[in-house]
Amino acid sequence: NGDASNPACSGIEGVLEAYHRSLRSVQLYGPTNFAPVVNHVARSAAAVLDGSQYFVLLIITDGVISDMAQTKEAIVNVS
């Protein structure tokens, strides 16, 4: 949603709104390292033990992923 201190979105509509808003403000450039982002979201999700929240991580890239091996490992580990 663009708010790093409270990144929650409400429902699918909130996720779509955050996505559309981010399209206007995100500038893509390299290097592209996704493993830290995957691990950060996984830690946030792991903190919610009652299953009351969903966590959606949408990764959009414009080219080569610089840390492909680490990103694959992070995705496998958090799955």
Side-chain angles (χ1 to χ4, degrees):
N1 71 3
D3 182 354
S5 64
N6 182 20
C9 296
S10 181
I12 296 297
E13 292 80 17
V15 172
L16 291 173
E17 180 183 325
Y19 171 71
H20 288 288
R21 193 175 324 118
S22 72
L23 289 177
R24 294 187 296 267
S25 62
V26 172
Q27 183 177 1
L28 303 175
Y29 60 92
T32 305
N33 296 308
F34 286 132
V37 176
V38 172
N39 290 322
H40 175 78
V41 173
R43 283 190 301 275
S44 297
V48 180
L49 301 177
D50 64 1
S52 63
Q53 298 178 29
Y54 290 93
F55 288 79
V56 176
L57 175 60
L58 173 64
I59 296 175
I60 300 174
T61 181
D62 63 345
V64 176
I65 298 172
S66 304
D67 66 341
M68 181 62 84
Q70 295 90 339
T71 297
K72 286 180 182 179
E73 181 178 346
I75 292 169
V76 168
N77 290 339
V78 304
S79 294

